[in-house]
Amino acid sequence: MPIPAETFFLSGDREATLQQQIQQVIAEAILSGRCLAGEKMPSTRHLAQHLGVARITVTNAYTDLVADEYLVARGRSGFYVSDSAPQRPVLTPEARAGVVPLDWSRKLGQRFSDAMPVLRPANWSDYRYPFIYGQTDPKLFDHANWRACAIRAVGRKDFDSLATDHYERDDAMLVEFLLRQILPRRGISARPEEILITMGAQHALWMTAQILLTQRRTAVLEDPCYPGMRHILNQSRCQIRNVAVDGWGLPPDAIPPEADVVFTTPSHHCPTNVTMPLARRRDLLARAERDGFVIVEDDYEFEMSFLKPPSPALKSLDRAGSVVYMGSFSKSIFPGLRIGYLVAPEPFITEARALRSMVLRHPPGHMQRTTAYFLSLGHFDAQIARMARSYRQRRAVMEQALRDHGLLDAAAEETFGGSSFWMRAPEGVDMGQVALKLRQSSVLIEPGEAFFAGGAEAKRHYRLAYSSIPAARIEEGVALIARAIAEAQEEA
Amino acid sequence: MPIPAETFFLSGDREATLQQQIQQVIAEAILSGRCLAGEKMPSTRHLAQHLGVARITVTNAYTDLVADEYLVARGRSGFYVSDSAPQRPVLTPEARAGVVPLDWSRKLGQRFSDAMPVLRPANWSDYRYPFIYGQTDPKLFDHANWRACAIRAVGRKDFDSLATDHYERDDAMLVEFLLRQILPRRGISARPEEILITMGAQHALWMTAQILLTQRRTAVLEDPCYPGMRHILNQSRCQIRNVAVDGWGLPPDAIPPEADVVFTTPSHHCPTNVTMPLARRRDLLARAERDGFVIVEDDYEFEMSFLKPPSPALKSLDRAGSVVYMGSFSKSIFPGLRIGYLVAPEPFITEARALRSMVLRHPPGHMQRTTAYFLSLGHFDAQIARMARSYRQRRAVMEQALRDHGLLDAAAEETFGGSSFWMRAPEGVDMGQVALKLRQSSVLIEPGEAFFAGGAEAKRHYRLAYSSIPAARIEEGVALIARAIAEAQEEA
């Protein structure tokens, strides 16, 4: 198939003849790498028709380009981009002669690229010992059934759900299933007006911050906490108070009186994995009622409570309507899905729906409907059970390895399962340095510093996840980590 | 299958016995509609196990619930939700006794739901004469091939693209095809670092406004323009200057000197459909270079230039790097897809990528890969050709009908095609009123007022699209519109 004639336009250069203009644009296309060696050019007739010029003009341009070795003519079959076509120097000039390029550094009104925390390299799966968090293990994912659901969701019967502009609405089947089956497992009963589908938990957190916070309001963050959360609040320019968590999560007594919004992860604190006990949850809610602050509950990893049954969500105890609740399928199905949900009183959901609509309209109908099928056909529960079995096994292997290598006593003890250990190295060890060094041995770990607001203790911490590493490699990986820490300790 | 035991939790009410707590939560589940008549309850053994109570406690609770007619016992098969179970009054109380519900009106820091313009009812497809814009006609959409591409994109080979956390990256296949095939048709050559996949054009516009505008900066909007655009800028609280378009689009001379960012739709002005001539484009770019403002080009409906070949994008003439360009597949594939793209100098794309990542991470990999297949296998071009043929025919039918009913002379003449007519009613006619009245005759038209910044002329305008109405119904629909306008004129 030749390069479509429609991809060429006259350069519009008033100093040049039509033929010269044609030569310019074709040469430019070849130089810029858009047309590659060996590709067939449009026929002279097609190109002439498209550009509205005489065919002889195109023929003459082609002939000149052959002379310049941009093109080769192959008898009757036409013109091709030459294998020996001129190449542009690798450094393309920023602008053409006589033009002053716009100074973009002065045009950017707001910057977002500054402090984005990155915890792992994009090519993590090339590493032999990836102790990293939140990525899918292809072996645990029920690809066959997901595929069957996706095929069903793209069928003729579901055309509307796939193709239609949903405006502000969500997929009714998905909402229904969440209300009737998923939320009740967390002890939550809600009306359809109190739920909104989001592009994952990140999107839910971001919207919540936009709606609840201004420069004059105060947000309370757990310390340590999910780095993406702190990034969002830094961007929103609200006041931030960091409250250190203890062995039972966020201590309600430490919440300052000026708090407007409190962000918390009671089911599994991120990253320490501790679970907030029921008594503390009641205290937190009572305090919210008394002081009038909003609680944002990220119900992080509740599905992964394989060591004890999960406790109901904070939201299930929320009698005054103080809690904005969010969940996600990114960890339990796969991160590329980008489907999560918000549950909150209707006035909040109304604003979130309008904000979502302004920013992106709605999550794609196809992804919502596929998720609805995957949930309603029971595949989700089966997958959770399979993951829990596997994580339980990996966790046991890991616990043994950590014990054998003298690392376990330093780990915070958690009690509900999860997919990672939150660890602390001996005093003076900088786990950021250790993590970088471990990459040379094909080991990936997550340094803990990014989770903290600051402080000298931060560098000692690290997270070891077992969601992406096969059980058989855990022992070797832990041995390498233990050795690297011991070496760092000697140097310190 | 019985209702899962895992969906019930003890209410935790300290004043109540365990048995009473169980009765409370089950009654609540039935009253709230979560458990429906005829559904089977979990076995007493399962529920007792899950709640950690004696089995006799659950049995006693069930027996009491039978007495209250919440449940019925069916011999050995167990307990079911009763057909005559009590029902909750429709108005649910806002909170339980003794609890002061949170006053959400004081908790919302920013509101987004205020002025969201809605141009059409969600059930538009139930109307017989839907002269509405931007919705998919299922008859024109190549559903079979889209489905084949979606199935391929969910195959094992593409697992990574589907499931992986893409972080900040886009689907390489989609980016490659855009760079090599789609953008060149617009005369644009770009490097991979200069492109970002978005959740449709709305998302691209929103990100652009966040990055370029602050409260101290000035945006220029075309008047009239896409109402969603004005909504975004109102929310961003920047300074707004409205510049009236004429028969050739935005007049560069009318751009005020304080402009920082100019939003324009040169290919097809939205909503008037006029195309900006080449000379004016050059003027606009020269002015941008001289005064240092950024141009945001929404390359709206360029695919629908079936009356004349499309002119190259403004971006193709952009030598100084002043233009941020955006395109979308929402109109040409389907709106529920939510895939579009931004092309701009690298410093801008870097910020857009970071912003996108903070707000939602990335558009789902599956939608990106499916689009890439649909484009690269040539289905997209075939669909555009089919749509263009159909639109051309509908447009001819519509033009004739408008002429026959004396409406055409009021329409702005456009020259490139598109999918709608921009219309003006006689003086004094309020097309908002006419549109409401026409709904009773199953006719949907779009009143023009929402497109304007204000002014007395706004109410006279309306848009008639032919992208969603079959050709055979156009004549009848236009006749109804003409009659309604004539009646309104008599009353005026």
Side-chain angles (χ1 to χ4, degrees):
Chain A
M1 203 178 70
I3 300 162
E6 292 71 26
T7 62
F8 296 100
F9 296 98
L10 293 173
S11 70
D13 181 345
R14 287 165 197 175
E15 314 276 303
T17 64
L18 287 174
Q19 182 190 324
Q20 285 167 337
Q21 290 187 42
I22 296 170
Q23 288 174 229
Q24 277 168 6
V25 295
I26 293 175
E28 171 64 28
I30 294 170
L31 284 169
S32 70
R34 172 161 83 76
C35 298
L36 299 181
E39 288 190 312
K40 187 173 183 182
M41 294 297 294
S43 71
T44 53
R45 188 172 59 84
H46 270 125
L47 188 56
Q49 218 167 37
H50 166 66
L51 296 176
V53 302
R55 190 169 174 187
I56 184 72
T57 310
V58 176
T59 307
N60 288 343
Y62 277 13
T63 310
D64 267 20
L65 287 163
V66 170
D68 282 345
E69 293 196 16
Y70 279 96
L71 304 182
V72 287
R74 292 201 192 137
R76 290 205 179 158
S77 95
F79 292 85
Y80 293 78
V81 178
S82 165
D83 289 336
S84 55
Q87 296 198 329
R88 171 165 291 169
V90 174
L91 277 172
T92 49
E94 278 297 295
R96 297 171 212 189
V99 177
V100 181
L102 190 67
D103 178 3
W104 273 90
S105 65
R106 300 181 57 182
K107 291 296 150 189
L108 302 172
Q110 295 184 61
R111 286 172 189 273
F112 302 92
S113 61
D114 287 346
M116 191 61 196
V118 173
L119 293 172
R120 62 198 77 99
N123 68 337
W124 65 266
S125 59
D126 297 340
Y127 285 75
R128 188 164 167 81
Y129 309 103
F131 290 98
I132 55 137
Y133 175 81
Q135 298 303 308
T136 311
D137 181 343
K139 289 193 192 60
L140 294 179
F141 177 60
D142 182 359
H143 188 249
N145 275 317
W146 180 265
R147 186 160 186 269
C149 291
I151 290 173
R152 186 166 164 190
V154 79
R156 202 156 289 277
K157 199 166 73 67
D158 288 327
F159 177 79
D160 266 359
S161 139
L162 168 76
T164 304
D165 192 340
H166 287 244
Y167 304 95
E168 304 193 332
R169 288 169 300 138
D170 292 316
D171 186 81
M173 187 187 287
L174 180 57
V175 169
E176 168 80 7
F177 196 84
L178 285 168
L179 291 175
R180 300 235 312 135
Q181 298 289 345
I182 301 289
L183 294 177
R185 295 180 206 190
R186 311 299 300 124
I188 300 171
S189 84
R191 292 176 291 120
E193 300 77 28
E194 294 170 328
I195 187 168
L196 183 76
I197 306 297
T198 69
M199 303 280 298
Q202 175 82 18
H203 185 216
L205 281 174
W206 180 81
M207 284 198 287
T208 301
Q210 307 313 303
I211 292 166
L212 296 178
L213 293 167
T214 64
Q215 295 183 27
R216 290 179 307 281
R217 296 201 175 179
T218 300
V220 170
L221 277 182
E222 296 172 332
D223 187 23
C225 75
Y226 167 53
M229 183 72 242
R230 188 173 288 117
H231 183 62
I232 287 172
L233 292 195
N234 283 338
Q235 285 286 349
S236 80
R237 301 206 187 90
C238 63
Q239 307 298 314
I240 299 178
R241 302 283 177 276
N242 298 291
V243 172
V245 298
D246 59 23
W248 300 272
L250 181 72
D253 291 346
I255 294 173
E258 67 270 25
D260 290 300
V261 186
V262 173
F263 292 85
T264 183
T265 50
S267 292
H268 273 160
H269 173 254
C270 172
T272 68
N273 294 316
V274 302
T275 298
M276 189 184 289
L278 191 61
R280 186 173 274 197
R281 292 177 189 225
R282 290 194 198 284
D283 282 358
L284 181 59
L285 284 165
R287 198 168 283 262
E289 283 184 39
R290 194 191 69 193
D291 297 351
F293 59 75
V294 173
I295 299 171
V296 179
E297 177 185 23
D298 182 357
D299 198 10
Y300 170 79
E301 278 207 335
F302 77 86
E303 317 91 329
M304 286 300 120
S305 286
F306 48 80
L307 298 182
K308 278 194 188 177
S311 46
L314 196 64
K315 177 73 183 162
S316 74
L317 308 168
D318 172 30
R319 302 192 308 161
S322 310
V323 177
V324 172
Y325 171 94
M326 57 191 65
S328 165
F329 295 111
S330 295
K331 302 291 177 290
S332 46
I333 300 184
F334 54 78
L337 175 61
R338 315 301 322 136
I339 294 281
Y341 43 93
L342 271 171
V343 183
E346 194 173 345
F348 178 91
I349 293 295
T350 301
E351 297 305 319
R353 200 177 289 281
L355 174 59
R356 187 190 72 177
S357 181
M358 180 171 72
V359 173
L360 58 81
R361 288 281 175 264
H362 58 82
H366 177 69
M367 303 312 288
Q368 294 191 53
R369 181 54 59 95
T370 305
T371 306
Y373 282 136
F374 195 74
L375 294 174
S376 65
L377 296 173
H379 304 314
F380 177 68
D381 292 288
Q383 164 142 341
I384 293 296
R386 193 167 47 247
M387 284 168 82
R389 268 197 310 277
S390 173
Y391 286 7
R392 181 196 285 265
Q393 184 216 352
R394 290 181 191 178
R395 185 182 177 82
V397 172
M398 189 127 161
E399 205 168 322
Q400 190 57 49
L402 292 173
R403 207 184 304 277
D404 291 348
H405 291 279
L407 296 178
L408 188 66
D409 52 333
E413 272 303 311
E414 71 263 46
T415 51
F416 279 72
S419 63
S420 64
F421 285 86
W422 179 243
M423 308 286 293
R424 201 176 62 175
E427 215 170 324
V429 174
D430 179 348
M431 287 306 296
Q433 295 296 324
V434 173
L436 271 183
K437 210 169 158 195
L438 277 166
R439 289 193 185 190
Q440 293 165 18
S441 320
S442 209
V443 180
L444 278 182
I445 67 169
E446 293 175 353
E449 191 173 9
F451 296 90
F452 287 93
E457 280 287 279
K459 285 187 199 299
R460 284 174 70 183
H461 285 84
Y462 58 111
R463 183 163 70 172
L464 294 183
Y466 43 86
S467 47
S468 307
I469 185 168
R473 293 201 186 151
I474 285 177
E475 211 281 329
E476 269 175 55
V478 168
L480 289 165
I481 295 166
R483 193 180 317 149
I485 290 175
E487 284 172 15
Q489 205 180 353
E490 280 165 31
E491 288 165 19
Chain B
M1 203 179 68
I3 300 163
E6 291 72 28
T7 64
F8 296 100
F9 296 97
L10 294 173
S11 70
D13 182 344
R14 289 164 195 177
E15 314 275 302
T17 64
L18 286 175
Q19 182 189 325
Q20 286 168 336
Q21 289 188 42
I22 295 169
Q23 288 175 229
Q24 279 169 4
V25 293
I26 293 175
E28 172 64 27
I30 294 171
L31 284 168
S32 70
R34 172 160 83 75
C35 297
L36 299 180
E39 287 189 313
K40 188 173 183 182
M41 294 298 294
S43 71
T44 51
R45 189 172 58 83
H46 269 125
L47 189 55
Q49 220 165 36
H50 167 66
L51 296 177
V53 303
R55 189 167 174 189
I56 184 71
T57 311
V58 176
T59 307
N60 288 343
Y62 276 13
T63 310
D64 267 20
L65 287 163
V66 170
D68 283 344
E69 293 195 16
Y70 279 96
L71 303 182
V72 286
R74 293 201 191 137
R76 291 205 179 154
S77 97
F79 291 85
Y80 292 78
V81 178
S82 164
D83 289 335
S84 54
Q87 297 199 326
R88 170 165 289 169
V90 174
L91 277 171
T92 49
E94 279 296 294
R96 297 171 212 188
V99 177
V100 181
L102 189 69
D103 178 2
W104 273 90
S105 65
R106 299 181 57 182
K107 292 295 151 190
L108 302 172
Q110 293 185 62
R111 286 172 187 274
F112 302 93
S113 62
D114 288 347
M116 190 60 196
V118 173
L119 293 171
R120 63 198 78 99
N123 68 337
W124 65 266
S125 59
D126 296 340
Y127 286 75
R128 190 167 166 79
Y129 309 103
F131 289 100
I132 54 135
Y133 175 80
Q135 298 304 310
T136 312
D137 182 342
K139 289 191 194 63
L140 295 180
F141 177 60
D142 182 358
H143 187 251
N145 275 318
W146 180 264
R147 187 160 184 270
C149 291
I151 291 173
R152 187 166 164 190
V154 81
R156 202 157 287 276
K157 200 167 72 67
D158 288 328
F159 177 80
D160 265 0
S161 138
L162 167 76
T164 304
D165 194 340
H166 288 244
Y167 304 94
E168 305 194 332
R169 287 169 301 137
D170 293 316
D171 186 82
M173 187 188 288
L174 180 57
V175 169
E176 167 80 8
F177 197 84
L178 285 168
L179 290 176
R180 298 237 311 134
Q181 297 290 344
I182 300 290
L183 294 177
R185 295 181 206 190
R186 313 297 303 124
I188 300 171
S189 84
R191 291 175 292 121
E193 299 77 26
E194 295 171 326
I195 187 168
L196 184 77
I197 307 297
T198 69
M199 303 278 299
Q202 176 82 19
H203 185 215
L205 280 173
W206 179 82
M207 284 198 287
T208 302
Q210 307 313 304
I211 292 166
L212 296 179
L213 293 167
T214 64
Q215 294 182 28
R216 291 179 308 279
R217 295 201 174 179
T218 301
V220 169
L221 278 181
E222 297 172 332
D223 188 24
C225 75
Y226 168 53
M229 183 72 243
R230 188 173 287 117
H231 183 62
I232 287 171
L233 291 195
N234 284 337
Q235 286 285 350
S236 80
R237 300 208 187 89
C238 64
Q239 308 297 315
I240 298 179
R241 302 281 177 276
N242 297 292
V243 172
V245 298
D246 59 25
W248 299 273
L250 180 72
D253 291 347
I255 293 171
E258 66 270 27
D260 291 301
V261 186
V262 173
F263 291 86
T264 183
T265 50
S267 293
H268 273 160
H269 173 255
C270 172
T272 69
N273 294 317
V274 301
T275 298
M276 189 185 289
L278 192 61
R280 186 172 275 197
R281 294 177 188 225
R282 290 193 196 284
D283 281 359
L284 181 59
L285 285 164
R287 197 168 285 261
E289 283 183 41
R290 193 191 68 195
D291 297 351
F293 59 77
V294 172
I295 300 171
V296 179
E297 176 184 25
D298 182 359
D299 198 12
Y300 170 80
E301 278 207 335
F302 77 85
E303 318 90 330
M304 287 299 121
S305 287
F306 48 82
L307 298 181
K308 278 194 189 176
S311 46
L314 196 62
K315 177 73 183 161
S316 74
L317 308 168
D318 173 31
R319 302 193 307 160
S322 310
V323 177
V324 172
Y325 172 93
M326 57 190 63
S328 166
F329 295 112
S330 296
K331 303 291 178 289
S332 46
I333 301 184
F334 54 78
L337 175 61
R338 315 300 324 134
I339 294 282
Y341 43 93
L342 272 171
V343 182
E346 194 173 345
F348 178 91
I349 293 295
T350 300
E351 296 304 319
R353 200 177 290 279
L355 174 59
R356 187 189 72 176
S357 182
M358 180 171 71
V359 172
L360 58 82
R361 288 281 174 264
H362 58 81
H366 177 68
M367 303 311 288
Q368 295 191 53
R369 182 54 59 95
T370 305
T371 306
Y373 281 137
F374 195 74
L375 296 174
S376 64
L377 296 173
H379 304 314
F380 177 67
D381 293 287
Q383 165 142 341
I384 294 295
R386 193 166 49 247
M387 285 169 82
R389 270 198 307 278
S390 174
Y391 285 7
R392 180 197 286 265
Q393 184 216 352
R394 289 181 191 177
R395 184 181 177 84
V397 172
M398 189 126 161
E399 204 169 324
Q400 189 59 48
L402 292 173
R403 207 185 303 278
D404 291 349
H405 291 280
L407 296 178
L408 189 65
D409 52 333
E413 273 304 314
E414 72 262 48
T415 51
F416 280 71
S419 63
S420 64
F421 286 87
W422 179 244
M423 309 284 295
R424 200 176 65 175
E427 215 171 324
V429 174
D430 179 347
M431 287 307 297
Q433 295 296 325
V434 173
L436 271 184
K437 210 168 156 193
L438 276 167
R439 291 193 183 189
Q440 294 165 18
S441 319
S442 208
V443 180
L444 278 182
I445 67 169
E446 292 175 354
E449 192 173 7
F451 295 90
F452 287 93
E457 280 286 281
K459 285 186 197 301
R460 285 173 70 183
H461 285 84
Y462 58 111
R463 182 164 69 171
L464 294 182
Y466 43 87
S467 46
S468 307
I469 185 169
R473 292 199 187 152
I474 287 177
E475 210 283 328
E476 269 175 55
V478 168
L480 288 165
I481 295 166
R483 195 182 314 150
I485 290 175
E487 284 172 16
Q489 204 180 355
E490 279 165 30
E491 287 164 19

